[in-house]
Amino acid sequence: MNNFSTVDEILDFAMDAEQKAVDFYIDLGEKMKNEEMKSVFIEFAQEEVKHKARLMKIKEERIFEMSAEKIADLKISDYVDTIQITPEMSYQTALIVAMNREKAAFKLYTRLSAKTDLPGLKDMFLSLAQEESKHKLRFEIEYDEYILREN
Amino acid sequence: MFDDVKYLKFKSYLNTYCPHCRNSFNVERKDQKYLVYKAIYKEQEIELKLSPFLDVFEVESSVPIDINDKLTDLLCPKCKKSLIVEEPVCGECGSPVAEMIITAFSKLIPFFICLNHGCTWHGLTKADQNKIKLKIPRQEMPEQDMKLRAANHTEVPYGYTTELAQLEAGRCLQCKEPKCVKGCPVNIDIPTFIRLITEEKIDEAAKKIKERNVLPAVCGRVCPQESQCEALCILGLRDKPVGIGNLERFVADFERKMDLVKVPIISNKLNKKIAVVGSGPSGLTVAADLVQLGYSVTIFEALHESGGVLVYGIPEFRLPKSIVSFEVDYLKKMGVRVEMNHVIGKTITIDELLQHFNAVFIGVGAGLPVFMNIPGETLGNVFSANEYLTRMNLMKAYKFPEYDTPKPRGNRVVVIGGGNVAMDSARTAIRTGAAEVTIVYRRSRQELPARHEEVRHAEEEGVKFMLLTSPVRYLGTDQAMLKGMECIRMQLGAPDSSGRRRPVPIENSNFIINCDIAVVAIGNSSNPIIFQSAQDIKRNKWGYIEVNPETNETSKEFVYSGGDIVTGSATVIQAMGAGRIAANAMHNKLSAT
């Protein structure tokens, strides 16, 4: 795991992670058999592009706000079984892929924040973790609303 | 004495009560067949005798009363208080009326008698009638005893008798701008059909409903009227709304039982052919509408019995199969062909259908079960509700070995989900001898998506509810058969931006439920089979078909669609509404070509 000494290093790392997510979704989209799922993954990739742009703005303006807002965690991704990525994935599986990626990112930033004592860096990691938990919540709400509709 | 006899055409009610003392002033001796009132006429106390005779009250008075003379008072024989009320007044002559309480069909209802002896119609003004209507309680359908019905597959409600139907129909205020019609996805003329019931013209009421709805017996049973037409009924603001669904069911059943159904003769035959894929509510509506316009219609059904979700999904005790087959037979008599065991997408493709038919309607429903994707779902005896209900219900596993389908072995059944399908699964399990049936639902009772009536029936029949609980994995035996389910307790979080409180697991609250059958009833999605050979039909990310909402035409010309395959799981009547839009658009387009 990388050792970070400045906020810029963290932001570069986070932007790189977002770019990897963009590439991942575009690659996944290309593998899909049907057009609807292709566009689902392109939509996910576009969301990651927006996340990256937000980080870039923070880096340029050197302003970020630590929100006191507590992000709900529905913990849906904690209980779903591992899934196989195939060219015939359903939207339900796509949501699980997305929830798991956001959860992994959230966990990574939370771990990194615990490892540093420098206040500026800690806040940045926590802020990134909070951002990732927001992204996860967006997918969890969709899963809760449509997949677990009668549950 | 009693030399002046007058016959008044009232409906006969045998028990009468005073509105003040609530004492019955019925006949005191059992062999007496009349009621005696004290009345004041020309400042003199006289006696009036009312004898119920069939549906007529025979009124006699102890002194001759001149026609158009008014009684000045009518007294309760027990408490001697005056029965005259200031409002309302007789709608015919404006005279004062006396109020009594009568019993009709086990309910206490105010009843008014005009004090003008010459008034032949003892009715009230419309406003006064409405005041009375507000006092009539909603009539519920008689039901099978809860213990008896838990051991049989016969339908639970018996339906209204004619008397109950007329009493319930009498509650309708006949609004000039009825909101209920707007609440109905196919805009049935509800006030008119209800009025026709009050006028005892049940056959005409049936015709009125069928102008807009070809499956009234089905909709009367399974449509959630409480969130559609009845939700907008003005009576619901003060009391319970008119039982529109129950009345619709009564009319349809009456028509069927009395053999009043007339198959229309279709003289105008067109040389155009329509293929309908799926024989559920939307497909049947398209077939009915287009065959009457002269099209040659063929329905293709994947299963061995027609009716779609109505026969494989909804159990016999909620919707008898005979009712669905009666409706399908009606279409067949009109000339619709029904081809069973045809899986479109496998047996024949949509493109192949288009070579032989002028247009195709896809109404295949949303038949692919959704699972939670938690560990252990592949264990034996973990079923989707679709499979469980199809086995038990359509394939009659409960009659094994009379029927070939074996019944899943197990006594402790858990059903995951809180919708109507979950209730159907749980109630089916009870009826097929399960010792313990539990519904496991992630949210609280308030959020249960099933109809209240279904939840009540399930509870009465012995189904237990484990609310705010979610399964996290299934546990299996060495033979990979289900033996239990690990669950976690849930709590509702703070309302989010949409205002909904979403369930969140409570950490370290896990526990095990011992069970040997699990039925997953959390919802359905679209079945991809049909699209494997029809990639050019555009779908959304959920897999549902995208249509032009004005016409219900898909991205493929001459291919239309409607019902659950477009909207996701919805109601029978919404599917029928979608079918009607498509049928109209198909007719318009094919008429122009």
Side-chain angles (χ1 to χ4, degrees):
Chain A
M1 195 174 286
N2 304 28
N3 290 318
F4 300 97
S5 52
T6 65
V7 167
D8 277 357
E9 276 176 29
I10 297 173
L11 286 169
D12 287 340
F13 173 80
M15 281 190 285
D16 188 44
E18 299 292 359
Q19 185 56 49
K20 280 181 183 153
V22 174
D23 299 342
F24 171 78
Y25 286 133
I26 288 177
D27 181 50
L28 210 53
E30 281 168 3
K31 285 181 184 154
M32 290 299 113
K33 262 193 176 174
N34 75 55
E35 290 302 319
E36 294 74 30
M37 288 313 296
K38 277 184 201 294
S39 48
V40 162
F41 285 113
I42 289 169
E43 190 189 305
F44 286 3
Q46 284 166 346
E47 288 189 29
E48 299 297 344
V49 169
K50 281 184 202 159
H51 300 161
K52 188 181 170 188
R54 197 175 303 149
L55 295 171
M56 209 173 275
K57 196 174 170 211
I58 292 172
K59 193 179 171 189
E60 280 166 12
E61 295 175 359
R62 312 204 72 75
I63 303 167
F64 79 94
E65 279 179 22
M66 261 301 286
S67 162
E69 184 191 1
K70 177 139 175 46
I71 310 298
D73 182 2
L74 304 188
K75 296 189 188 282
I76 290 172
S77 53
D78 292 6
Y79 297 104
V80 290
D81 208 355
T82 48
I83 47 133
Q84 282 191 327
I85 292 179
T86 68
E88 286 167 333
M89 279 165 73
S90 66
Y91 187 55
Q92 179 180 10
T93 330
L95 284 175
I96 294 173
V97 169
M99 285 190 299
N100 283 342
R101 282 191 72 89
E102 303 295 350
K103 184 172 80 175
F106 166 76
K107 280 187 171 171
L108 172 68
Y109 292 128
T110 310
R111 256 199 327 270
L112 289 172
S113 77
K115 278 192 168 186
T116 179
D117 292 328
L118 296 171
L121 300 193
K122 201 174 189 68
D123 283 356
M124 177 49 78
F125 281 132
L126 285 174
S127 166
L128 288 169
Q130 191 181 41
E131 197 61 28
E132 297 300 338
S133 66
K134 270 187 204 168
H135 304 162
K136 181 165 83 88
L137 182 64
R138 165 250 185 277
F139 292 119
E140 282 193 328
I141 286 177
E142 191 135 343
Y143 198 92
D144 181 73
E145 191 84 28
Y146 296 101
I147 306 295
L148 304 175
R149 192 154 74 160
E150 294 202 352
N151 185 25
Chain B
M1 202 158 174
F2 297 126
D3 50 358
D4 182 35
V5 179
K6 184 171 171 56
Y7 295 92
L8 296 177
K9 286 208 169 184
F10 297 139
K11 281 276 173 193
S12 63
Y13 302 99
L14 292 175
N15 300 308
T16 314
Y17 302 84
C18 168
H20 307 294
C21 62
R22 289 290 168 119
N23 270 329
S24 162
F25 42 88
N26 281 342
V27 288
E28 290 188 355
R29 287 210 326 263
K30 281 189 178 169
D31 55 339
Q32 279 185 333
K33 299 288 182 201
Y34 52 84
L35 317 171
V36 178
Y37 297 86
K38 297 281 181 201
I40 308 293
Y41 174 59
K42 292 183 176 171
E43 299 176 359
Q44 178 189 349
E45 189 174 281
I46 62 164
E47 285 186 331
L48 287 181
K49 190 168 84 176
L50 266 72
S51 311
F53 175 71
L54 293 177
D55 63 345
V56 173
F57 267 133
E58 186 183 283
V59 180
E60 299 170 61
S61 64
S62 55
V63 297
I65 304 174
D66 294 335
I67 290 295
N68 291 328
D69 263 6
K70 289 176 185 142
L71 301 170
T72 45
D73 211 344
L74 198 65
L75 307 168
C76 166
K78 289 264 167 73
C79 70
K80 313 288 183 201
K81 283 187 182 166
S82 171
L83 299 176
I84 294 182
V85 287
E86 287 186 7
E87 275 187 279
V89 293
C90 173
E92 184 74 8
C93 63
S95 300
V97 290
E99 180 185 4
M100 286 175 268
I101 307 287
I102 56 163
T103 55
F105 320 113
S106 313
K107 310 280 180 192
L108 291 175
I109 294 165
F111 187 75
F112 298 82
I113 294 180
C114 175
L115 297 185
N116 181 350
H117 196 55
C119 181
T120 52
W121 186 76
H122 289 243
L124 303 162
T125 64
K126 179 142 173 100
D128 292 333
Q129 282 179 39
N130 285 346
K131 279 181 198 166
I132 296 163
K133 284 176 178 186
L134 291 174
K135 293 185 182 178
I136 304 175
R138 178 175 161 127
Q139 307 299 303
E140 299 304 339
M141 290 186 289
E143 291 177 352
Q144 260 201 85
D145 176 79
M146 59 183 88
K147 282 187 183 153
L148 283 178
R149 72 180 190 236
N152 67 44
H153 290 261
T154 314
E155 199 177 5
V156 174
Y158 292 118
Y160 281 148
T161 58
T162 307
E163 290 77 13
L164 281 175
Q166 286 187 319
L167 192 58
E168 182 60 26
R171 296 179 67 227
C172 176
L173 299 180
Q174 294 290 318
C175 306
K176 277 186 184 165
E177 290 179 17
K179 290 185 175 177
C180 52
V181 178
K182 289 177 190 158
C184 170
V186 293
N187 304 118
I188 295 172
D189 185 351
I190 293 166
T192 303
F193 99 73
I194 291 182
R195 181 177 51 76
L196 289 165
I197 296 174
T198 62
E199 292 169 3
E200 296 185 37
K201 295 172 183 167
I202 317 292
D203 51 340
E204 286 182 34
K207 272 187 207 149
K208 185 50 74 183
I209 296 174
K210 281 197 170 168
E211 284 174 7
R212 307 291 310 168
N213 178 358
V214 287
L215 303 172
V218 174
C219 292
R221 285 170 167 81
V222 299
C223 260
Q225 291 92 7
E226 63 277 11
S227 56
Q228 297 183 150
C229 51
E230 290 180 18
L232 300 178
C233 172
I234 205 85
L235 269 187
L237 296 175
R238 288 184 54 162
D239 187 20
K240 291 181 181 169
V242 174
I244 300 168
N246 295 349
L247 288 171
E248 184 184 27
R249 171 194 163 129
F250 162 76
V251 169
D253 288 357
F254 185 93
E255 188 195 30
R256 193 177 65 256
K257 285 176 190 164
M258 304 302 279
D259 203 15
L260 300 172
V261 180
K262 299 276 183 296
V263 179
I265 297 160
I266 299 146
S267 50
N268 175 34
K269 293 275 183 192
L270 303 170
N271 190 24
K272 286 181 177 163
K273 297 201 295 186
I274 306 290
V276 174
V277 185
S279 62
S282 66
L284 294 178
T285 306
V286 170
D289 284 5
L290 292 180
V291 78
Q292 289 182 80
L293 290 168
Y295 291 89
S296 167
V297 182
T298 306
I299 297 177
F300 294 93
E301 168 55 49
L303 295 174
H304 60 281
E305 219 173 286
S306 48
V309 70
L310 304 175
V311 292
Y312 77 75
I314 303 176
E316 182 77 15
F317 55 83
R318 210 149 72 82
L319 177 62
K321 306 274 170 288
S322 58
I323 286 172
V324 182
S325 61
F326 184 88
E327 305 286 9
V328 176
D329 285 347
Y330 175 75
L331 293 189
K332 284 182 186 168
K333 284 176 191 162
M334 284 201 285
V336 173
R337 279 181 64 192
V338 184
E339 298 288 345
M340 307 294 187
N341 305 309
H342 279 65
V343 181
I344 302 303
K346 291 279 184 198
T347 324
I348 315 170
T349 65
I350 296 287
D351 284 331
E352 285 167 346
L353 284 178
L354 281 172
Q355 288 169 16
H356 299 95
F357 294 87
N358 298 84
V360 175
F361 176 82
I362 302 174
V364 292
L368 187 75
V370 171
F371 282 91
M372 289 178 73
N373 205 50
I374 57 176
E377 272 174 349
T378 53
L379 287 169
N381 272 5
V382 178
F383 295 97
S384 69
N386 274 22
E387 182 186 348
Y388 185 74
L389 288 173
T390 303
R391 274 170 180 268
M392 302 299 272
N393 180 29
L394 179 66
M395 299 169 79
K396 296 193 168 52
Y398 67 89
K399 287 189 176 173
F400 181 79
E402 188 187 332
Y403 281 77
D404 279 343
T405 314
K407 192 174 90 173
R409 283 189 191 171
N411 261 331
R412 286 165 305 175
V413 180
V414 289
V415 178
I416 297 117
N420 288 327
V421 177
M423 301 304 141
D424 286 344
S425 305
R427 296 172 67 198
T428 299
I430 285 273
R431 281 165 173 76
T432 49
E436 199 176 294
V437 181
T438 309
I439 290 219
V440 174
Y441 180 58
R442 288 192 313 146
R443 304 171 208 247
S444 69
R445 176 171 288 268
Q446 219 179 337
E447 286 86 22
L448 277 169
R451 298 180 73 184
H452 293 314
E453 186 183 72
E454 305 307 327
V455 176
R456 175 176 64 82
H457 282 155
E459 282 188 318
E460 285 173 357
E461 290 161 14
V463 175
K464 291 178 185 163
F465 283 72
M466 199 174 272
L467 302 169
L468 288 166
T469 304
S470 180
V472 294
R473 67 183 174 118
Y474 298 99
L475 309 169
T477 62
D478 295 342
Q479 286 78 41
M481 294 300 287
L482 181 74
K483 69 170 184 185
M485 187 168 82
E486 184 180 332
C487 293
I488 192 164
R489 299 268 180 219
M490 311 289 281
Q491 60 188 354
L492 293 179
D496 61 17
S497 53
S498 71
R500 279 195 80 178
R501 297 181 66 194
R502 296 188 190 275
V504 182
I506 301 171
E507 276 187 44
N508 302 320
S509 64
N510 298 41
F511 64 99
I512 307 273
I513 302 177
N514 292 323
C515 57
D516 37 28
I517 293 179
V519 182
V520 183
I522 63 168
N524 284 314
S525 66
S526 85
N527 193 321
I529 289 178
I530 198 168
F531 307 106
Q532 286 165 359
S533 58
Q535 290 281 342
D536 49 347
I537 296 176
K538 193 165 166 34
R539 289 180 294 155
N540 63 19
K541 62 186 176 188
W542 304 106
Y544 298 126
I545 297 177
E546 285 190 356
V547 294
N548 172 352
E550 303 284 315
T551 61
N552 279 357
E553 191 168 18
T554 68
S555 55
K556 195 175 174 81
E557 202 179 10
F558 294 110
V559 177
Y560 294 74
S561 186
D564 289 1
I565 190 58
V566 171
T567 57
S569 296
T571 65
V572 170
I573 196 85
Q574 281 169 328
M576 293 174 66
R580 171 139 301 146
I581 291 171
N584 287 338
M586 288 160 108
H587 178 54
N588 289 340
K589 186 157 182 168
L590 293 175
S591 304
T593 55

